[in-house]
Amino acid sequence: MIKLDSKIPQGPLADKWTSYKNNQKLVNPANKRKLDVIVVGTGLAGASAAASLGEMGFNVKNFCIQDSPRRAHSIAAQGGINAAKNYPNDGDSVFRLFFDTIKGGDYRAREANVHRLAEVANSIIDQCVAQGVPFAREYGGSLDNRSFGGAQVSRTFYAKGQTGQQLLLGAYQALMRQVNEGTVKLYTRNELVEIVMVDGKARGIISRDLVTGKTERHFGHAVVLATGGYGNTFFLSTNAMGSNVSAAIKAYKKGAAFANPCYAQIHPTCIPVHGEFQSKLTLMSESLRNDGRIWVPKKKEDAEAIRAGKKKASDLSEDERDYYLERRYPAFGNLVPRDVASRAAKERCDAGFGVGATGLAVYLDFASAINRLGEDTIRARYGNLFQMYEKIVDDNPYKEPMMIYPAIHYTMGGVWVDYELQTSVKGLFCLGEANFSDHGANRLGASALMQGLADGYFVLPYTIQNYLADDISTPRMTGDEKEFIEAEKAVNDKLEKLLAIKGKRSVDSIHKELGLVMWDFVGMARNKAGLEGAIEKIAAIKKEFQTNVFIPGTNDGMNIELEKAARLEDFITMGELMARDALNREESCGGHFREEYQTEEGEALRQDDKFAYVAAWEYKGEDQAPELNKEELIFENVELKQRNYK
């Protein structure tokens, strides 16, 4: 069993973070120069962490799987970043941001971590403004805010529909400044392929150059993972095709607990699947729900006529439309949290009211907003999103409603970390979407950017010192130690073993098969029989992969199929872990919806007396069932109750 010590400071909730900083160990400037830190990932969490640690004087090695940090998947975030500045004077506060995040996560997150996130959010906005991030502004020059799901205040700062890209450019500039200063060494087109353990601590990594195929050994007094989520386990998701779970699975197999793997978010506003040969899905920002209204036809015959191409959305009058979110959730309307909106869309489509050729779509309509505000205002707010939609769908959303349907997006589960963001492996830290810590069972929109930058700029720079302060007398390792040599050999042996299978199936064909099993049985709705069947099906897919995959080429140079195969092996492990966790959690909460556990009105029904805990899974070996460890969740500042957005 893994001993899970969350290291949450004592004292009142609002004082915990201040108390921690007042009592942590520090590393003086001269000693920082003696310490090496490896940061894997260059998205918002990784770039901000590497830049901050470099600025502080540590020697940082930063690994980027893309050709530039500017291509990290954080650029895909569109809608905004939360902070409790209360600029609109609508009643926001740090506590309200904390509460909305706890409630939005269906009471399955640590209070202390979430309150810290809410506390530092305001500093993030100040930091980014100082970096020159071009947030939208009011006519008078003050920063503008928009609303997002799960809140009744406007607290989301944004830069058109490209907030993630603009924030990443700010973090990238900070990172490249440190690269220029020599405190950070950047390794592009390099992928972590193994974590090196020495005397029970993470002491380095083996990386693989994706251009030359060469593996290299790198030492660090500490290793930081900021490698994103595991949505691509489903093959089709809103994630970039290169997004993967391999670093997290390497950590899991080295003894790091993996927490709440079943918590995967379904985003309600994605462009629907339109064929069997898609490689990914496209997200339409949740910010569109500020002015867009979601509806389906009230009559099935109208929905059938639209699916048959005999009618268009604009042919239906107002009284022939069912604005079902406004009907079911009058207090929040179209701004209910993502999991609630997604299940509501699925329910309408399953009932036969869906539109589009497949019937798996609902409308997101801007007609009333255009009539109220004018097309120019809507174009100024969302123009690049409308343009993207029109390019993909070949339909003008200013004239006809967008068609949307839920899709796999963010993952709330991840590597288990304590209050210091350290995993259950000493010296191994995990940030951003790769960890589990702040979102519970459902992430509120505009919280991912907040968490990534909070972890990198304002949390890890403090907490990692508490660990490194005891390491200043540890000499640097050369990489020639037996642990490094053995780890590198194991990596190359494994890659050669994959190349030697010489089967008949492509990597993508097996990944698609896995994705269909995941979507059908571990997707928006789950049940006991389906999950048990999914575990059996995933075991069969694993065997098929191990015996019948075909990978062309060699390990001596660029080989994209080999990269994909190694990642698919980890996705298969991840898929099984998700299904096992979903089977164990006999309740519905947030993005985890078990059909057996729902209210009379079809809402998620928690079982707080049995499942108010973090499920932290421990790797027990290949083909062995993982072991469940539990971290009980203690709620002292919020009342556990059924979520209500009506």
Side-chain angles (χ1 to χ4, degrees):
M1 296 285 288
I2 294 175
K3 182 182 179 182
L4 301 176
D5 180 5
S6 60
K7 299 180 185 175
I8 295 173
Q10 297 297 311
L13 181 67
D15 296 339
K16 288 182 186 294
W17 181 229
T18 299
S19 175
Y20 177 90
K21 291 187 290 184
N22 287 343
N23 293 283
Q24 67 167 107
K25 298 174 185 175
L26 297 174
V27 180
N28 77 43
N31 285 332
K32 287 187 178 81
R33 293 192 289 271
K34 300 176 183 177
L35 295 168
D36 299 345
V37 181
I38 290 172
V39 178
V40 184
T42 54
L44 286 180
S48 60
S52 299
L53 294 173
E55 182 83 41
M56 293 165 70
F58 292 105
N59 299 297
V60 181
K61 290 184 175 182
N62 193 196
F63 290 84
C64 173
I65 199 171
Q66 296 91 2
D67 53 1
S68 166
R70 290 173 297 176
R71 293 177 64 85
H73 189 58
S74 297
I75 67 166
Q78 298 167 342
I81 177 171
N82 288 331
K85 288 283 195 182
N86 195 33
Y87 286 164
N89 197 28
D90 54 3
D92 204 5
S93 66
V94 167
F95 185 85
R96 192 175 291 276
L97 174 54
F98 153 76
F99 176 77
D100 287 345
T101 306
I102 286 281
K103 178 184 175 182
D106 219 346
Y107 304 92
R108 288 294 177 262
R110 283 193 203 123
E111 283 190 339
N113 286 65
V114 177
H115 195 277
R116 176 176 64 187
L117 176 65
E119 282 182 72
V120 304
N122 288 345
S123 298
I124 297 171
I125 303 304
D126 296 339
Q127 170 94 357
C128 294
V129 169
Q131 290 174 337
V133 172
F135 286 123
R137 293 181 179 268
E138 295 278 12
Y139 178 77
S142 60
L143 297 183
D144 194 14
N145 289 109
R146 55 171 50 146
S147 298
F148 259 59
Q152 291 180 305
V153 297
S154 293
R155 64 162 66 103
T156 304
F157 296 80
Y158 65 99
K160 268 196 170 181
Q162 45 185 261
T163 314
Q165 183 175 17
Q166 297 303 324
L167 290 172
L168 185 65
L169 286 172
Y172 169 73
Q173 291 171 139
L175 171 63
M176 295 311 293
R177 178 174 177 271
Q178 295 308 311
V179 171
N180 186 60
E181 294 288 333
T183 62
V184 177
K185 185 171 183 182
L186 183 63
Y187 295 82
T188 58
R189 297 300 301 272
N190 262 268
E191 182 173 15
L192 179 151
V193 287
E194 188 56 284
I195 296 166
V196 181
M197 303 290 295
V198 180
D199 296 330
K201 295 182 178 181
R203 289 298 193 195
I205 68 168
I206 306 299
S207 71
R208 182 173 183 272
D209 188 307
L210 299 180
V211 177
T212 66
K214 182 183 178 183
T215 52
E216 295 181 348
R217 311 167 207 156
H218 300 275
F219 164 76
H221 289 90
V223 176
V224 179
L225 304 182
T227 50
Y230 48 90
N232 275 353
T233 306
F234 290 78
F235 188 73
L236 283 181
S237 82
T238 64
N239 287 232
M241 288 185 68
S243 299
N244 64 82
V245 73
S246 289
I249 291 297
K250 298 295 185 287
Y252 168 63
K253 290 186 174 181
K254 288 297 183 182
F258 203 106
N260 300 333
C262 76
Y263 291 165
Q265 182 168 78
I266 315 293
H267 198 294
T269 54
C270 298
I271 296 178
V273 175
H274 61 257
E276 295 183 11
F277 300 102
Q278 279 181 266
S279 57
K280 73 177 299 293
L281 298 174
T282 303
L283 169 72
M284 299 307 296
S285 171
E286 182 181 325
S287 63
L288 294 170
R289 291 199 274 151
N290 271 278
D291 291 307
R293 301 176 71 195
I294 296 172
W295 63 275
V296 292
K298 281 185 179 178
K299 300 176 183 177
K300 282 190 179 179
E301 51 264 40
D302 285 336
E304 290 165 357
I306 289 171
R307 291 198 293 269
K310 297 177 181 178
K311 280 188 175 181
K312 296 190 299 182
S314 54
D315 294 332
L316 271 61
S317 63
E318 278 292 302
D319 58 2
E320 293 175 312
R321 304 177 180 194
D322 177 15
Y323 295 96
Y324 58 89
L325 290 179
E326 298 171 31
R327 168 173 55 83
R328 289 181 60 176
Y329 309 101
F332 281 74
N334 295 294
L335 288 173
V336 292
R338 291 173 177 179
D339 61 317
V340 177
S342 295
R343 282 194 296 274
K346 181 180 188 297
E347 184 275 328
R348 287 291 79 192
C349 291
D350 288 350
F353 294 91
V355 297
T358 63
L360 295 177
V362 299
Y363 287 126
L364 178 60
D365 196 334
F366 286 84
S368 62
I370 290 172
N371 289 337
R372 184 178 76 253
L373 301 170
E375 185 175 316
D376 288 345
T377 298
I378 298 301
R379 194 178 296 274
R381 289 179 180 176
Y382 312 111
N384 61 312
L385 298 172
F386 277 50
Q387 183 183 44
M388 182 171 68
Y389 180 88
E390 185 169 6
K391 282 188 174 182
I392 294 171
V393 180
D394 194 24
D395 205 3
N396 184 350
Y398 293 102
K399 304 299 181 186
E400 290 288 329
M402 293 183 182
M403 284 193 291
I404 56 170
Y405 193 70
I408 290 290
H409 182 50
Y410 189 93
T411 49
M412 288 75 64
V415 179
W416 182 91
V417 293
D418 60 23
Y419 190 74
E420 297 181 325
L421 303 183
Q422 187 168 202
T423 72
S424 51
V425 171
K426 289 184 178 180
L428 182 62
F429 294 77
C430 192
L431 314 184
E433 189 179 358
N435 75 28
F436 89 102
S437 69
D438 293 347
H439 306 299
N442 173 59
R443 178 178 69 85
L444 290 184
S447 288
L449 304 184
M450 177 172 62
Q451 188 214 343
L453 291 179
D455 286 357
Y457 281 137
F458 297 107
V459 179
L460 183 78
Y462 290 96
T463 63
I464 200 169
Q465 289 190 78
N466 213 39
Y467 173 78
L468 291 174
D470 295 328
D471 240 13
I472 56 177
S473 60
T474 302
R476 290 188 174 95
M477 297 180 186
T478 63
D480 292 328
E481 294 78 7
K482 65 180 179 59
E483 292 89 350
F484 284 85
I485 294 170
E486 289 170 359
E488 184 177 32
K489 183 178 185 304
V491 165
N492 285 306
D493 288 349
K494 184 177 180 179
L495 294 174
E496 292 297 340
K497 185 178 179 182
L498 287 174
L499 287 163
I501 295 172
K502 300 297 182 187
K504 296 181 178 179
R505 292 190 60 181
S506 69
V507 175
D508 278 354
S509 73
I510 299 175
H511 196 170
K512 284 182 181 179
E513 184 180 348
L514 172 68
L516 285 172
V517 169
M518 295 299 297
W519 180 249
D520 289 342
F521 302 106
V522 201
M524 263 200 283
R526 304 155 177 184
N527 59 58
K528 185 174 187 290
L531 291 166
E532 289 173 341
I535 292 170
E536 293 179 3
K537 289 179 171 68
I538 293 168
I541 290 170
K542 181 178 181 179
K543 185 175 181 181
E544 176 75 356
F545 172 80
Q546 291 173 336
T547 59
N548 199 26
V549 72
F550 175 72
I551 305 165
T554 68
N555 189 25
D556 296 331
M558 184 183 290
N559 191 335
I560 294 172
E561 290 301 305
L562 180 58
E563 295 168 29
K564 286 160 56 178
R567 295 169 194 163
L568 176 56
E569 188 172 34
D570 295 324
F571 280 132
I572 293 170
T573 300
M574 189 69 236
E576 181 193 358
L577 198 55
M578 291 183 72
R580 286 188 181 276
D581 189 40
L583 183 61
N584 168 76
R585 190 167 285 276
E586 294 179 334
E587 66 168 353
S588 293
C589 56
H592 167 63
F593 192 77
R594 284 284 295 266
E595 294 173 341
E596 305 96 323
Y597 304 95
Q598 54 183 300
T599 67
E600 292 181 359
E601 296 174 320
E603 306 295 345
L605 181 63
R606 297 194 319 271
Q607 302 239 55
D608 293 330
D609 57 331
K610 298 178 182 178
F611 293 98
Y613 63 75
V614 175
W617 295 88
E618 179 182 355
Y619 181 70
K620 303 303 287 186
E622 199 69 23
D623 299 320
Q624 300 293 314
E627 184 175 357
L628 175 62
N629 299 269
K630 300 178 182 179
E631 179 201 336
E632 299 298 330
L633 291 169
I634 308 298
F635 294 92
E636 299 173 334
N637 299 273
V638 297
E639 178 188 353
L640 285 174
K641 57 185 179 181
Q642 174 71 29
R643 279 194 303 168
N644 184 356
Y645 293 99
K646 295 185 177 184

